Amino acid sequence: MQKLKRFTKEGEKSLSNQPAAAATNNAEAQSAHPYRELTFRAVIIGGLITLIFTAANAYLGLKVGLTFATSIPAAVISMAILRYFHDHTVVENNIVQTIASAAGTLSAIIFVVPGLVMVGYWSGFPYWETTAVCMVGGILGVMYSIPLRRALVTGSDLPYPEGVAAAEVLKVGDENGSTEENRRGLLVIIWGGLASAGMALLTALKATAGSLSANFRIGAGGTMIGGSLSLALMGVGHLVGPAVGTAMLVGLLISYGILLPVLTQGQIANQDLGDAVSTIFAHDVRMIGAGAMAVAAVWTLLKIIGPILRGIADSLKSSKLRETGSQVPLTEQDIPFKYVAAITLLSMIPIGLLLWNFLRNSPISHHLVALIMLSILFVLVLGLLIASICGYMAGLIGASNSPISGVGIIVIIAASLLILLVTGNTSQTHPTELTAYALFTTAIVFGIATISNDNLQDLKTGQLVGATPWKQQVALIVGVIFGSLVIPPVLQLLMTSFGFSGMEGVDETTALQAPQATLLSTIAKGIFGGDMNWQLFGLGALIGVGVVIVDEIMGRVSRFNLAPLAVGMGMYLNITTTLVIALGALVGWIYNRWAQRQEKAEQSKRLGVLLATGLIVGDSLFGILNAGIIGATSNANALGIVPDSFAPVAKVVGVVIFVGLLAVSYRWVMKKSGESAPMPASDMTNEETTESQA
């Protein structure tokens, strides 16, 4: 957390080197062509991409509990389309990816809303109610992220891996840049993309394993070791750097090296070791991880409250300067704070109406006034806190790897406890109705969380390409509206076609598991039913306090830190994800050390960033293609043509190809960096930030 103290100094310096010239060039371009950023065609293209991405994300999220980042694929598609228009700009491409990424991210609302059907309160997804929940929560997420931009983006040295990656994609496709450098950069991205997409294709075909894992006993207990054979996660690790990777590795060791062996003691005698380990991790260890994340999140918020307040003050100052006619750089023009405040407060009206409509004919309507007042205050206050926490997490490891479901656990616990406090003994007679109301309130806050989790990545991309913040913020709102209109019919279609696991009368072999919605519903029912396991959550909170103390001591006696929130995320995420991100951070650190010794150190580092970007791009684009195939065939293994009997061999083949592709890719980029022409100082990347964290 010591790095937060460098927000104003090192953060601004390291993250602004590269986009300085780009910002100037784009400002000049926009003054000559004032409509080539937030254009009608950008909105239309972004909207069309939204339809595809939102549907694909909703299906995959309900099927396996995972969603894919949409900003980078949207940037690639936008670049491919707009390059046929002679007057396109990099900032116009940025608007397209901003709209599509906001809508694609909003689909994470599926982690909460299906719970209303699963607990039996809704029989389907009423269109306008579901649309309004998504829209109001998403727009509030945009509003809350505006003052956070100055605190967590322009004045921060957080790595924002996906924001940097999207910016690199946009810049190498910008014809206004250096043709030779763009050609080399695009070549590296294509190489990484083909390698990553090829690996993902082989996995979908079942020719290679998607991950490796092994369970083993420790005394009377057990644990596991494993890793995903995902080149995209290696790319994420390269971009987040060794500081975050190390902290996540510490969290992994706490969960899998200590907690799992202890909690599984005596629990595996009568069941399969793998089943016992996975079950206890999902239900117990993750609850402990959520407790640690809760403490780390609160501490992080306390640490960044100063920059947030300064960001609000700077936003007010900028607004006043613009009102007096003073010149404010395009790259510093946010939506004026008075409008942000007005939209935020006015949003409480539709929220109140939604809550009133939800309660008015229910058995708990006698608590209507108290519950509505409580929920509005809850959304207003906790929404800002959650937006700050999610923005910080996205800055650490990226939006797609941020444990947003862990934030959902914190929100549902807080909402349920407050509702329980207001309603008292009603929980004994109407637990289902109270559970549903807690989920409904959580859905609004979750909309804020998902959007702020992604928006700051988009605003980081905008900073790096010289975009105008207020135009990008308007595009974010447009993206939220597009996504909100699409999500309800997609959810209804999926429920009608497949159903959710646990629903009466559904075929469990084809039913959508909706794991996050199931977990959040279970927690709420546990609180109102009186059987919530507070000991596990409290244990996690104590671990979080210990990590915070260690981080503070390390920050005072050395130049190293142990980011508490990254440790909490390492505890919460599955080992197959965390371990590979940590390995990617190690590989990136080794590459950067090599690059530092080269004659053209900065351009060598930049090619490493572009390779990591390509690894993420390829996997993301294939994820969209695969999601479309799955949706069209209603078969989660539509491409799995290799027989299951090949699985043992697929593991060996997977490791060989994974390591081989990684080694060949980095060796090829090392060779390519020696061929690069000298790079202008303005093209330096923010990878020196990652190096400084080492």
Side-chain angles (χ1 to χ4, degrees):
M1 304 300 289
Q2 188 74 14
K3 63 185 176 185
L4 289 168
K5 300 176 181 177
R6 304 197 300 269
F7 268 11
T8 305
K9 298 179 181 179
E10 296 181 16
E12 188 68 31
K13 176 183 175 182
S14 62
L15 293 179
S16 298
N17 283 339
Q18 181 177 345
T24 301
N25 292 338
N26 284 316
E28 292 172 354
Q30 292 171 67
S31 63
H33 304 278
Y35 301 108
R36 286 198 288 126
E37 184 171 0
L38 183 59
T39 63
F40 180 74
R41 69 190 181 197
V43 172
I44 295 300
I45 294 171
L48 292 175
I49 296 173
T50 288
L51 297 175
I52 301 169
F53 285 8
T54 302
N57 251 342
Y59 177 81
L60 287 183
L62 290 171
K63 185 70 178 178
V64 297
L66 296 174
T67 57
F68 55 85
T70 54
S71 59
I72 294 174
V76 173
I77 296 171
S78 168
M79 186 175 66
I81 296 173
L82 285 180
R83 69 185 300 110
Y84 291 104
F85 295 87
H86 74 280
D87 58 344
H88 76 274
T89 65
V90 66
V91 289
E92 185 182 22
N93 275 312
N94 182 54
I95 290 294
V96 176
Q97 73 87 16
T98 296
I99 292 172
S101 70
T105 299
L106 188 61
S107 62
I109 199 74
I110 60 171
F111 293 166
V112 183
V113 173
L116 292 164
V117 174
M118 299 170 79
V119 300
Y121 195 81
W122 278 359
S123 59
F125 298 95
Y127 184 81
W128 290 112
E129 288 179 61
T130 309
T131 297
V133 167
C134 296
M135 194 176 297
V136 174
I139 291 174
L140 276 175
V142 176
M143 294 300 106
Y144 284 154
S145 67
I146 290 173
L148 293 176
R149 182 186 74 86
R150 296 174 185 270
L152 297 180
V153 177
T154 60
S156 158
D157 61 356
L158 292 169
Y160 285 102
E162 290 166 1
V164 172
E168 293 295 346
V169 170
L170 291 171
K171 284 187 287 186
V172 297
D174 180 23
E175 293 178 356
N176 296 323
S178 165
T179 303
E180 183 62 21
E181 283 306 314
N182 286 351
R183 187 189 67 81
R184 291 192 180 97
L186 187 59
L187 207 58
V188 172
I189 288 179
I190 291 173
W191 177 287
L194 290 175
S196 185
M199 187 73 204
L201 174 61
L202 290 174
T203 300
L205 294 172
K206 293 187 177 181
T208 62
S211 63
L212 298 178
S213 63
N215 302 289
F216 54 91
R217 291 179 179 270
I218 298 181
T223 187
M224 68 173 289
I225 185 74
S228 170
L229 299 180
S230 167
L231 291 174
L233 290 178
M234 292 295 293
V236 169
H238 183 128
L239 294 176
V240 301
V244 173
T246 300
M248 293 184 69
L249 188 60
V250 170
L252 181 154
L253 293 174
I254 293 173
S255 284
Y256 285 87
I258 300 174
L259 295 177
L260 258 181
V262 171
L263 293 174
T264 52
Q265 293 291 315
Q267 301 293 316
I268 56 178
N270 300 319
Q271 59 179 311
D272 179 75
L273 174 62
D275 291 341
V277 168
S278 60
T279 300
I280 290 176
F281 176 80
H283 292 95
D284 295 347
V285 176
R286 274 196 158 168
M287 184 61 70
I288 297 173
M293 283 177 57
V295 169
V298 171
W299 181 250
T300 299
L301 184 64
L302 293 175
K303 299 282 283 187
I304 65 177
I305 194 68
I308 290 173
L309 293 176
R310 286 195 296 273
I312 294 173
D314 289 344
S315 182
L316 285 169
K317 183 179 178 181
S318 176
S319 297
K320 289 180 180 178
L321 286 173
R322 289 168 65 187
E323 288 175 358
T324 59
S326 300
Q327 276 295 104
V328 176
L330 286 178
T331 53
E332 289 300 317
Q333 294 181 10
D334 292 293
I335 292 177
F337 188 77
K338 63 181 181 181
Y339 297 127
V340 173
I343 293 172
T344 300
L345 294 176
L346 289 173
S347 296
M348 299 303 116
I349 297 175
I351 288 175
L353 291 174
L354 280 169
L355 297 171
W356 170 80
N357 185 62
F358 191 87
L359 289 170
R360 62 191 176 101
N361 293 321
S362 73
I364 57 174
S365 59
H366 54 289
H367 292 295
L368 187 146
V369 175
L371 285 175
I372 290 177
M373 296 300 294
L374 172 69
S375 295
I376 287 176
L377 187 62
F378 183 79
V379 171
L380 191 62
V381 176
L382 192 69
L384 178 59
L385 304 182
I386 292 299
S388 304
I389 293 164
C390 289
Y392 188 85
M393 289 195 304
L396 279 177
I397 64 169
S400 59
N401 296 297
S402 183
I404 194 71
S405 56
V407 174
I409 291 176
I410 296 170
V411 176
I412 192 66
I413 289 175
S416 299
L417 288 176
L418 288 173
I419 292 169
L420 189 63
L421 182 66
V422 169
T423 57
N425 294 331
T426 305
S427 62
Q428 298 174 13
T429 55
H430 301 291
T432 299
E433 288 76 10
L434 291 175
T435 297
Y437 185 75
L439 287 168
F440 193 75
T441 303
T442 298
I444 298 173
V445 178
F446 204 77
I448 297 173
T450 59
I451 289 299
S452 59
N453 186 58
D454 175 73
N455 282 0
L456 291 174
Q457 290 281 357
D458 292 331
L459 292 171
K460 179 62 187 177
T461 301
Q463 182 208 11
L464 293 173
V465 300
T468 309
W470 77 261
K471 293 182 180 179
Q472 197 172 4
Q473 289 151 8
V474 170
L476 292 169
I477 296 173
V478 172
V480 166
I481 294 172
F482 274 127
S484 300
L485 294 173
V486 172
I487 288 172
V490 170
L491 285 176
Q492 186 66 36
L493 177 64
L494 292 174
M495 188 198 74
T496 304
S497 302
F498 304 102
F500 300 123
S501 181
M503 288 177 57
E504 185 176 351
V506 302
D507 182 356
E508 289 293 336
T509 60
T510 59
L512 299 171
Q513 297 300 307
Q516 287 87 351
T518 302
L519 176 60
L520 296 184
S521 302
T522 301
I523 290 173
K525 286 190 289 187
I527 292 175
F528 293 114
D531 54 358
M532 171 73 174
N533 194 335
W534 291 109
Q535 290 182 335
L536 294 177
F537 192 81
L539 174 60
L542 288 176
I543 293 174
V545 170
V547 173
V548 166
I549 293 173
V550 170
D551 175 56
E552 288 298 304
I553 293 173
M554 289 179 64
R556 284 169 170 73
V557 302
S558 70
R559 61 189 182 93
F560 299 102
N561 292 96
L562 190 66
L565 198 51
V567 174
M569 289 188 287
M571 292 175 61
Y572 183 85
L573 293 173
N574 193 289
I575 189 173
T576 55
T577 297
T578 306
L579 185 59
V580 179
I581 290 176
L583 288 174
L586 175 63
V587 171
W589 177 74
I590 293 172
Y591 176 87
N592 285 336
R593 291 290 296 269
W594 170 85
Q596 194 65 44
R597 297 192 297 270
Q598 306 310 302
E599 181 181 353
K600 304 165 185 175
E602 292 306 324
Q603 59 192 17
S604 296
K605 286 185 187 179
R606 181 172 189 258
L607 289 181
V609 172
L610 293 174
L611 174 62
T613 298
L615 297 179
I616 298 172
V617 168
D619 193 90
S620 299
L621 289 176
F622 180 79
I624 295 169
L625 176 62
N626 193 33
I629 295 172
I630 291 172
T633 61
S634 300
N635 181 3
N637 295 311
L639 295 178
I641 60 175
V642 178
D644 293 340
S645 59
F646 189 72
V649 180
K651 293 180 180 180
V652 177
V653 174
V655 172
V656 171
I657 294 178
F658 178 80
V659 174
L661 283 174
L662 202 63
V664 169
S665 296
Y666 273 97
R667 287 295 301 172
W668 181 78
V669 169
M670 287 177 175
K671 179 182 178 182
K672 208 71 183 171
S673 68
E675 301 173 2
S676 297
M679 182 178 293
S682 61
D683 284 341
M684 291 162 57
T685 74
N686 76 333
E687 275 300 284
E688 69 181 276
T689 303
T690 301
E691 182 69 22
S692 71
Q693 292 175 353

